[in-house]
Amino acid sequence: MAVTATAAAGAVTALSLAATPAAAAPTDTTAPRPGDSCTAAGLGTRHPYIKTTEVSPTITHFKGWHVTEGTTGEQTVSTDTTTVIKVSVGLNDTIETSFAVEALSSVKATVGLDVQLEYTSTSNESSSVTWNLTQPGYYGFYKGTKKVTGTYGSLNCNRAQQDDGSWALEWTEGPGGGSFTTFTTLEEGAVRCEDSVPADSIMAKAQALLDCGSAAAIADHPAGAVAPSAQQKQARPAPDPAPTTGTSAEQPTATAHSARAALDCSAEAYKIAVPGKPLSWGAPLLAADGVRLRPSSIFSAHLDNWRLCNVTERDGVIEASLWNWGNGGCATIAEQNASTERAVLMTVPCAEDDLQRFYVYRDVPGSPKIGVQNKYTGSMMGYDRYADGEFIRQYSSGRQDGTGTFDLTAV
């Protein structure tokens, strides 16, 4: 390729509910939109929807280079890093959860660009660009991409009251949203100040970095690298902070906040059961164990009985702590596993902690069906298979086969 002078390339059912207003949605018609109808099986699921997007051409590597008469032809130039772009969704940049992958797929459909759908980043190392030059001049060798950023929301299935007073299940904007970053495929090339380039293109961004019109651009200069301008230095990224270490064990660790909090619990106790089947959530006797599907009997010792504590409601969604009558602990996801898909639901001493708070999504009045979402992680509760002893786990998008929908029945 050549660059020329002219171109370059119960208690629950008694609480009231208000419908959530519709909001912007992605252009992907297969994805649910706010206000679309859903079924009871969707109570235990959630989906992302894209609220805002911004596409900005970004230069990741750059080097100014003088080419004199007699030094044209194929040149290989080692460029300097100017910007490092990392793919991320919310606070998690591993993109290992189904929710994050679905969010980036929605971004792709919304902006109509082929963006990265998994964790990656542009190189923070010096990178070479090889280009065939046919004219002498002051060149900017570059690598760049289109950086795509924006915000997303979370759609949850919940009941909403209609204009005629009846109730229906709809996809409504639930708690949990954030920002995302991704980028398109990398482009590389070389550009001169006098080249005509498309506006708002990656090449135009590189031309702007070339510092056209400066003394460096017009002065006689031997062939080779040109010292970076102040603008080019400003474009360089700051070094990444030193990584921190952590643990991946599933057992929750004691913290300074592990003292039991005073809870205002409902008088009613509930079973959180699989609809139409005998197994329900059973809390463990041992702290190292997790909440499992267990049969309810006179020998359950209230380990299958839960109370809703410190209950609040906003836009028809209940927020509560789940206190177990049998072991006196509160349901939680262990802090060190908060970002882990399929992390096991545990019980620990009750505390003021968002990991111990859950949103409850409800079916229409008269039905006990619910979906349960952890406030801090945003993940829905469910299980891998229906079996005695099977763990209750968190899933970022819930269980699409309906195994995240439960019955909340008073006992």
Side-chain angles (χ1 to χ4, degrees):
M1 300 177 68
V3 176
T4 67
T6 57
V12 175
T13 57
L15 292 172
S16 61
L17 171 67
T20 303
T27 57
D28 184 0
T29 57
T30 62
R33 303 166 182 266
D36 286 352
S37 62
C38 55
T39 66
L43 290 171
T45 64
R46 71 170 182 147
H47 294 278
Y49 82 101
I50 305 307
K51 302 173 74 172
T52 64
T53 59
E54 180 179 350
V55 180
S56 55
T58 303
I59 301 302
T60 61
H61 296 79
F62 186 86
K63 175 77 76 173
W65 197 263
H66 270 289
V67 177
T68 59
E69 292 284 356
T71 62
T72 56
E74 187 173 281
Q75 300 256 4
T76 298
V77 175
S78 180
T79 61
D80 297 324
T81 302
T82 61
T83 303
V84 177
I85 305 173
K86 298 179 180 179
V87 177
S88 64
V89 175
L91 300 177
N92 188 359
D93 61 4
T94 59
I95 318 300
E96 294 176 347
T97 67
S98 56
F99 185 85
V101 173
E102 187 181 354
L104 293 178
S105 297
S106 298
V107 172
K108 179 179 179 179
T110 301
V111 299
L113 296 172
D114 190 14
V115 300
Q116 304 297 317
L117 301 182
E118 60 185 6
Y119 173 71
T120 186
S121 67
T122 59
S123 174
N124 59 3
E125 304 293 334
S126 177
S127 183
S128 296
V129 174
T130 299
W131 212 253
N132 185 37
L133 307 176
T134 62
Q135 300 287 337
Y138 180 42
Y139 285 87
F141 284 74
Y142 68 91
K143 287 189 176 182
T145 183
K146 291 182 178 179
K147 181 180 180 181
V148 184
T149 58
T151 59
Y152 65 89
S154 176
L155 287 182
N156 292 81
C157 183
N158 195 38
R159 69 184 190 183
Q161 193 165 24
Q162 308 301 294
D163 293 339
D164 61 1
S166 63
W167 296 83
L169 287 177
E170 294 182 355
W171 290 107
T172 59
E173 184 172 2
S179 59
F180 64 84
T181 299
T182 185
F183 59 90
T184 61
T185 54
L186 286 172
E187 171 187 311
E188 66 179 43
V191 64
R192 302 187 306 171
C193 292
E194 57 266 44
D195 290 335
S196 176
V197 300
D200 202 28
S201 64
I202 297 172
M203 190 178 297
K205 293 290 287 189
Q207 194 178 57
L209 277 180
L210 196 52
D211 203 21
C212 296
S214 69
I218 60 178
D220 289 337
H221 195 285
V226 179
S229 67
Q231 183 182 6
Q232 294 163 20
K233 290 178 180 178
Q234 187 177 14
R236 292 179 179 173
D240 291 337
T244 57
T245 58
T247 61
S248 59
E250 214 159 20
Q251 180 176 345
T253 57
T255 68
H257 301 289
S258 61
R260 175 171 176 171
L263 296 177
D264 179 16
C265 298
S266 63
E268 297 85 356
Y270 296 91
K271 287 181 182 177
I272 307 174
V274 178
K277 296 182 179 180
L279 300 184
S280 62
W281 290 20
L285 284 173
L286 302 177
D289 200 6
V291 178
R292 299 174 183 263
L293 288 178
R294 293 295 193 192
S296 296
S297 71
I298 60 173
F299 304 107
S300 296
H302 293 302
L303 290 171
D304 57 346
N305 293 166
W306 302 82
R307 284 197 169 106
L308 304 184
C309 304
N310 294 356
V311 177
T312 61
E313 183 181 6
R314 187 183 67 171
D315 294 334
V317 179
I318 291 174
E319 180 187 325
S321 297
L322 304 179
W323 177 81
N324 186 263
W325 189 354
N327 70 9
C330 283
T332 191
I333 297 295
E335 182 178 2
Q336 63 268 31
N337 296 323
S339 62
T340 303
E341 188 82 347
R342 300 180 65 252
V344 171
L345 186 67
M346 315 287 286
T347 56
V348 295
C350 299
E352 292 290 336
D353 188 341
D354 281 348
L355 282 165
Q356 297 183 18
R357 299 290 286 173
F358 293 85
Y359 298 118
V360 179
Y361 300 93
R362 294 168 288 171
D363 200 356
V364 296
S367 168
K369 289 183 171 58
I370 62 166
V372 183
Q373 179 184 26
N374 184 268
K375 179 178 182 178
Y376 182 81
T377 69
S379 293
M380 310 298 296
M381 301 300 110
Y383 54 89
D384 283 346
R385 76 183 197 279
Y386 179 76
D388 186 358
E390 184 69 17
F391 282 120
I392 300 298
R393 301 176 183 272
Q394 70 167 4
Y395 303 85
S396 60
S397 294
R399 297 286 290 169
Q400 303 301 318
D401 59 1
T403 53
T405 296
F406 300 96
D407 277 351
L408 187 70
T409 55
V411 297

